[in-house]
Amino acid sequence: MTQDPARLRLGRIRCLRETIKSLETGSPLPTALCFVPKQIEYITTGKGTALAIHTGPSAESKKLGEVKNDTPIKVLGHGLDSWNDQGQWIQLADESLAKFLGNKGGGVSKNEGWMLAKDNAVAVDAGPYLTPIVKKSLPGLPTTGSDVAASKWEDAVEHAYSVRIGGAAQAAIDLQQCCDEKAVEQLRAVPDNWTLEHDEELAKFVTNSKTKENNLAIMLDSMTGDLSEYVSTISASSENDEAQTLVDRYADSDSYWESDGSTGKHWLRLVIKPGILIRRLSLILDEEDGSYVPQDVDVAVGNSVESLTVSKKVMLDSHVDEMILLENCPTSYRYVEIRIKRCFSDGGDCRIRGVKLSPAPAAIAGLNQDIFGNADFANFPKLDRNIPKEQLYHRALVLKRAIQLFDSVIGLIMPTWTHSLQSFGSFSSIRQLLVLSNFRSALLSMFLSSTTSSRVGKIHVIHLNRRLAREHSHDPTADTTCSNSLFNQMFEALKPQNCGSNLDYRWSSRQEQWWECVFSNEGMIDQGGGFRETLSELGEELCPSASDVPLPLKLFCRTPNQLHDTSNLYRDTYIPAPGCNQYQHFTWVGQLMGACLRSREHLILSLPPFIWKQLNGEPVSWEDFATVDTAQVKMLESLVELTEEGFEERFSGLLTFSVALSDGTSVPLVPNGADTAVTYAQRLEYASLVKKTRLEENKKQIDALKKGLLMAVPKSVLDLVSWQELEQFVCGDPELPVDSMKKTAHYDEGLSETSAIVKHLWAALENFSNEERSRFLRFVTGRRRLPAPLWICPGRWDDGTVDALPESATCSSTLFLPNYSNAKIAAEKIRYAAYHCVAIDTDTSPYDEEE
């Protein structure tokens, strides 16, 4: 009987559920997930290159012999291969060792006899030295009508978990007959005292050790992709010059390529640079282009124009911002041709706003074992133990398998926008492991794109008085209603009755500006810089970066850690004020957070993990509350452990059934609690009541924040990201290393990274603190965190002026850099400008404003 594909998918879901349960409980993982075949049969390329046999999986290890490769030769290898910086290695089976080494083969120890199957140093197009021979699936497993690679763990999962007529016991017998039991047990084994938190840290370590293609700041980068890094040339069926704008990552957002020719004959042809493996290729579209938007597209690939063959057909049912064409290509292609067969409403010509290409590492396809060799686990304390590196590698390998399993069924278990109040339930506990997913990026883009509102036709103009806002920030007690704060001015201006429409904050990521600001008595034209300034100033009003200034608003309060604890890591954080009932304001903040997640804008809110986890739907515990009030957590810990004598000595007559909340408000834990003393026998009850009260002290405020967030972002997106990622999407990356800033820099008017004034700039920034770099970034771009593009131009002086203050145009994120005598003077001038010259440049006279 042939299994129905639905049964296979349900089988994978069953295995995934069992895997998650094992991860949660720290028990051995399912045998099928850890399956390793006894042997795999390979065949050589027969291209004449002799293949060496080494004692270990390294070209530097002792050479035992070599195999001539004049004609294709069959090679038997053990089921568990090994990947490292050099490539993929297989360990030869005894039969092959005897065949190739003769009598010497019998003297090879059990851990020796390795052959390089795929060399990372060889061009991708050359292919591997050894290729697995395609065979039918596992013995006893009904085929699905097509051949599959010999004895894979995916086959074992389908064999063990898919429902079929026949005995389930036979499945287990078949797996035992064809598996390498020792290797399987190595993968199933759980390190001593290992928990899900260790797995989460291991996943982060593996991700951080990979290339930037997995960087989540890039994953949701809304810009159109820097094709020039990966594409040699781009040509088009017509209007070839316009097509070149698709290559420029920072081209005008209103630019596009529009075809001019016969319906169904439009195409774009990309010449991909050698060695580039496509992780994802997509078209950037705009719903407002109507009948110009492509609906039916063929994607042809090949290594010559003559050999182009259609690899994929893509058809849209409805408008999206991004049409995904290719994902996770198994090999590199020299040419990719995008053929537009039909547009919506049978439009004649097409219009494309951008082409986005995300590359994958061209060589390393497996988990690189070398990352564990000399690993520095300083930033991963749970891994900084005497755990054998090989055991960590095996654990990471099986975690990748678990997430591959998740990827294969992710489309079946994720909710849609219309069912956004639901979650994916039991799968949510592995949220922190999803950094290993290959398909999450595309799914996030799909969820965001499919829930984007129409692009704003006319940007709303709001009038703001920053002088009044600054006066209020200086002395909030003068106006207890906070009506002059920038926050309340904007909140009122953007109400539907005042701006003329009900904003949903689900704008396209290509929406450059959400509103246009007119600042009273400030002559300027807001082309984006003023708008970004308002977001920066909003964040500063909500969560001031200085700890010694009054709070301009009542929505957030400083955490007890910020006020009292000098040793806690989260000393600069704020939480929603427990006593604040301005729920509409909290909801609006949540909407702004969602809008930032969809875009490359930032709203910097310094919140502790305890809050981010709740916004993201992750469970919180009393241990998490230490990021809010470490002193309270430690006090309860000591209270529970005290002897009666110790309790009487420390707390007798001092402890009552009441507790102070984060905003200083004292609340009773029981009726008349403030007048009821806690006895030694009641200390556990007291501790329990304190925990419950403190954990829920701002639940209503957090619920209001989350309500606004979910109005702008589907819950399926929050289900797929961790709280750390949510914080970074909303607030940007708090770390500003100079290397990262250099990657966002573009030079104009003859400047380059080797120019003297540019060298002075980077040398100055190297000596800046992270806070000073943040100030500099705001001075130039209006943003305080990355990612943010930097355009660097020569200073606007033609009289030979030296050592002047730099100037900036935040609307275009441009720095006008003067000539400096040396890096020290450059640092002084740039630092001064960053702290004292943050006002928007004047474009018009303030006296031109209408009264």
Side-chain angles (χ1 to χ4, degrees):
M1 175 182 175
T2 300
Q3 288 185 312
D4 185 88
R7 296 183 178 182
L8 300 180
R9 293 194 293 270
L10 288 173
R12 297 186 198 115
I13 292 176
R14 293 187 188 99
C15 182
L16 181 60
R17 287 186 178 276
E18 186 176 325
T19 298
I20 292 173
K21 185 176 181 180
S22 297
L23 292 171
E24 291 172 338
T25 59
S27 54
L29 292 159
T31 300
L33 181 74
C34 302
F35 176 81
V36 177
K38 285 183 177 179
Q39 294 179 337
I40 294 180
E41 193 172 22
Y42 296 85
I43 190 165
T44 67
T45 58
K47 293 184 179 180
T49 304
L51 304 178
I53 301 174
H54 293 268
T55 55
S58 170
E60 286 73 43
S61 63
K62 181 181 177 181
K63 185 177 176 181
L64 299 174
E66 63 180 25
V67 179
K68 291 184 178 181
N69 192 23
D70 298 329
T71 58
I73 302 171
K74 290 184 178 181
V75 177
L76 269 181
H78 288 288
L80 194 61
D81 58 6
S82 177
W83 288 82
N84 58 27
D85 289 338
Q86 295 173 352
Q88 179 192 17
W89 293 82
I90 63 165
Q91 186 179 12
L92 300 184
D94 293 342
E95 181 180 331
S96 286
L97 286 172
K99 176 181 177 181
F100 299 133
L101 299 179
N103 293 333
K104 292 191 297 182
V108 176
S109 70
K110 62 179 181 179
N111 294 322
E112 296 181 342
W114 293 83
M115 182 178 288
L116 188 61
K118 184 174 182 179
D119 189 347
N120 288 346
V122 175
V124 176
D125 292 341
Y129 298 141
L130 302 176
T131 305
I133 295 177
V134 176
K135 289 185 175 181
K136 295 291 183 183
S137 297
L138 292 169
L141 174 63
T143 67
T144 59
S146 61
D147 287 350
V148 295
S151 305
K152 299 184 297 184
W153 67 267
E154 294 93 335
D155 303 331
V157 168
E158 293 175 0
H159 186 37
Y161 289 91
S162 297
V163 176
R164 61 190 185 281
I165 297 175
Q170 183 63 35
I173 294 173
D174 290 336
L175 289 181
Q176 289 180 355
Q177 288 177 349
C178 58
C179 78
D180 182 334
E181 293 187 30
K182 181 180 178 181
V184 170
E185 288 308 309
Q186 284 180 326
L187 295 184
R188 294 192 71 212
V190 183
D192 294 339
N193 301 315
W194 193 266
T195 66
L196 180 57
E197 290 182 352
H198 292 85
D199 284 322
E200 292 170 353
E201 197 141 300
L202 181 58
K204 293 172 188 174
F205 169 76
V206 171
T207 303
N208 287 356
S209 301
K210 297 169 86 174
T211 63
K212 285 293 184 182
E213 60 101 14
N214 280 319
N215 188 299
L216 284 161
I218 294 175
M219 182 181 70
L220 283 181
D221 185 3
S222 60
M223 293 180 280
T224 56
D226 196 353
L227 281 184
S228 61
E229 292 184 26
Y230 319 118
V231 175
S232 299
T233 60
I234 183 170
S235 55
S237 55
S238 59
E239 305 299 329
N240 200 61
D241 289 342
E242 287 186 6
Q244 306 312 307
T245 63
L246 302 177
V247 178
D248 186 1
R249 176 174 188 163
Y250 294 102
D252 181 357
S253 61
D254 290 328
S255 64
Y256 51 81
W257 170 68
E258 183 178 313
S259 64
D260 183 13
S262 303
T263 303
K265 301 296 184 181
H266 314 307
W267 52 262
L268 289 171
R269 184 181 299 150
L270 311 180
V271 181
I272 311 296
K273 291 183 178 180
I276 297 298
L277 196 64
I278 297 174
R279 183 171 68 87
R280 186 172 62 178
L281 178 69
S282 56
L283 297 180
I284 306 301
L285 310 174
D286 191 332
E287 180 181 356
E288 290 191 353
D289 290 335
S291 62
Y292 287 90
V293 178
Q295 182 179 19
D296 190 356
V297 174
D298 288 354
V299 186
V301 298
N303 289 319
S304 67
V305 176
E306 295 74 23
S307 66
L308 285 171
T309 56
V310 175
S311 169
K312 189 175 181 181
K313 293 178 178 289
V314 182
M315 182 176 291
L316 298 177
D317 294 325
S318 59
H319 287 282
V320 296
D321 282 346
E322 184 175 354
M323 174 189 272
I324 298 172
L325 304 177
L326 295 174
E327 284 188 291
N328 299 303
C329 293
T331 187
S332 63
Y333 303 111
R334 185 65 173 149
Y335 294 90
V336 175
E337 191 168 276
I338 303 166
R339 302 169 179 172
I340 295 87
K341 311 303 291 184
R342 186 164 63 92
C343 293
F344 280 94
S345 303
D346 295 319
D349 286 307
C350 66
R351 188 177 292 170
I352 294 174
R353 298 277 174 172
V355 179
K356 188 174 181 179
L357 190 154
S358 299
I364 298 180
L367 179 63
N368 186 355
Q369 193 165 356
D370 283 347
I371 66 175
F372 298 94
N374 298 308
D376 180 6
F377 294 127
N379 295 330
F380 305 92
K382 291 187 181 298
L383 304 182
D384 192 13
R385 302 167 54 199
N386 295 321
I387 304 174
K389 299 298 188 290
E390 186 179 20
Q391 193 170 15
L392 284 177
Y393 169 71
H394 287 152
R395 188 68 179 183
L397 187 65
V398 80
L399 287 181
K400 283 180 64 70
R401 288 187 178 186
I403 299 306
Q404 283 179 249
L405 199 61
F406 179 85
D407 283 345
S408 70
V409 297
I410 194 171
L412 304 175
I413 60 179
M414 289 304 303
T416 64
W417 176 265
T418 54
H419 300 92
S420 62
L421 293 180
Q422 301 301 317
S423 179
F424 59 167
S426 60
F427 300 100
S428 62
S429 61
I430 62 169
R431 187 194 315 248
Q432 296 279 346
L433 303 180
L434 296 185
V435 292
L436 299 174
S437 171
N438 288 325
F439 296 100
R440 183 175 63 148
S441 170
L443 202 61
L444 286 170
S445 292
M446 183 192 73
F447 285 143
L448 292 174
S449 177
S450 63
T451 57
T452 297
S453 60
S454 298
R455 197 173 183 185
V456 178
K458 182 180 179 181
I459 296 179
H460 301 291
V461 178
I462 60 176
H463 294 258
L464 303 171
N465 190 318
R466 294 202 290 185
R467 181 182 60 81
L468 291 178
R470 288 174 184 138
E471 289 176 355
H472 170 75
S473 294
H474 182 70
D475 183 15
T477 60
D479 176 18
T480 57
T481 66
C482 305
S483 59
N484 287 336
S485 67
L486 194 69
F487 180 94
N488 275 300
Q489 289 184 54
M490 292 178 62
F491 180 76
E492 292 298 324
L494 293 171
K495 281 184 174 180
Q497 61 268 34
N498 295 328
C499 71
S501 63
N502 191 8
L503 306 181
D504 61 13
Y505 297 85
R506 289 190 280 119
W507 296 299
S508 164
S509 60
R510 300 183 70 248
Q511 184 75 30
E512 292 285 340
Q513 195 171 343
W514 306 341
W515 53 74
E516 180 183 337
C517 300
V518 176
F519 295 126
S520 298
N521 300 316
E522 297 183 52
M524 57 84 69
I525 298 174
D526 182 11
Q527 295 180 328
F531 154 69
R532 290 194 295 272
E533 275 286 322
T534 59
L535 287 179
S536 292
E537 293 179 13
L538 273 183
E540 190 63 24
E541 280 193 346
L542 291 165
C543 301
S545 54
S547 60
D548 57 351
V549 299
L551 297 179
L553 299 169
K554 302 176 182 178
L555 283 93
F556 293 86
C557 65
R558 292 184 169 95
T559 63
N561 282 343
Q562 183 176 167
L563 295 172
H564 308 301
D565 193 338
T566 58
S567 62
N568 190 273
L569 180 63
Y570 300 98
R571 287 183 51 229
D572 61 346
T573 54
Y574 295 77
I575 61 170
C580 181
N581 58 4
Q582 299 173 19
Y583 301 120
Q584 282 187 324
H585 286 171
F586 282 114
T587 298
W588 186 57
V589 173
Q591 287 180 289
L592 291 175
M593 294 168 72
C596 288
L597 187 151
R598 288 179 168 275
S599 71
R600 56 178 177 265
E601 305 303 337
H602 304 140
L603 178 65
I604 301 178
L605 299 174
S606 185
L607 310 177
F610 177 74
I611 302 298
W612 288 112
K613 284 186 176 183
Q614 293 182 78
L615 291 175
N616 205 36
E618 296 188 40
V620 292
S621 64
W622 181 242
E623 287 71 24
D624 292 311
F625 198 73
T627 63
V628 176
D629 192 346
T630 301
Q632 181 86 82
V633 173
K634 289 181 177 179
M635 186 276 246
L636 291 188
E637 287 177 355
S638 65
L639 180 67
V640 170
E641 296 171 357
L642 278 177
T643 63
E644 186 169 1
E645 181 181 356
F647 177 86
E648 293 297 330
E649 181 180 339
R650 291 184 57 184
F651 298 110
S652 179
L654 300 176
L655 207 60
T656 63
F657 275 95
S658 62
V659 66
L661 306 182
S662 293
D663 60 0
T665 305
S666 181
V667 296
L669 301 173
V670 297
N672 301 316
D675 300 320
T676 307
V678 178
T679 66
Y680 177 74
Q682 295 171 317
R683 75 192 192 287
L684 298 183
E685 178 190 0
Y686 168 80
S688 177
L689 290 171
V690 169
K691 289 179 182 180
K692 183 177 187 302
T693 301
R694 294 301 305 275
L695 286 172
E696 297 177 356
E697 67 178 9
N698 45 22
K699 183 179 183 303
K700 292 181 179 179
Q701 292 78 11
I702 294 172
D703 287 346
L705 278 171
K706 190 169 183 178
K707 176 184 176 182
L709 184 59
L710 290 175
M711 289 168 70
V713 177
K715 191 176 188 305
S716 47
V717 168
L718 299 185
D719 284 336
L720 285 174
V721 300
S722 66
W723 69 264
Q724 298 97 325
E725 293 161 352
L726 174 62
E727 179 184 16
Q728 187 165 333
F729 292 154
V730 173
C731 304
D733 190 346
E735 295 300 319
L736 297 172
V738 173
D739 285 344
S740 297
M741 297 176 75
K742 285 181 178 180
K743 290 176 182 178
T744 68
H746 296 262
Y747 305 101
D748 204 357
E749 299 183 28
L751 291 183
S752 69
E753 194 167 348
T754 60
S755 301
I757 60 173
V758 174
K759 287 182 177 180
H760 288 331
L761 167 68
W762 297 125
L765 291 175
E766 285 282 4
N767 292 315
F768 277 22
S769 66
N770 201 70
E771 170 62 22
E772 289 171 334
R773 290 178 196 146
S774 179
R775 295 265 188 167
F776 165 78
L777 197 66
R778 180 178 174 184
F779 167 67
V780 179
T781 70
R783 300 183 178 100
R784 290 163 55 189
R785 295 190 181 187
L786 292 175
L790 287 169
W791 290 92
I792 302 174
C793 300
R796 295 187 282 196
W797 302 269
D798 53 9
D799 58 357
T801 299
V802 179
D803 299 338
L805 287 173
E807 296 181 348
S808 67
T810 56
C811 291
S812 57
S813 300
T814 301
L815 172 68
F816 297 99
L817 192 62
N819 286 312
Y820 290 113
S821 303
N822 53 54
K824 182 180 179 181
I825 293 177
E828 292 174 357
K829 298 295 183 179
I830 294 170
R831 184 182 288 110
Y832 183 90
Y835 275 83
H836 300 283
C837 306
V838 294
I840 297 295
D841 51 304
T842 300
D843 299 301
T844 65
S845 168
Y847 301 105
D848 292 338
E849 295 180 19
E850 295 183 4
E851 295 296 331

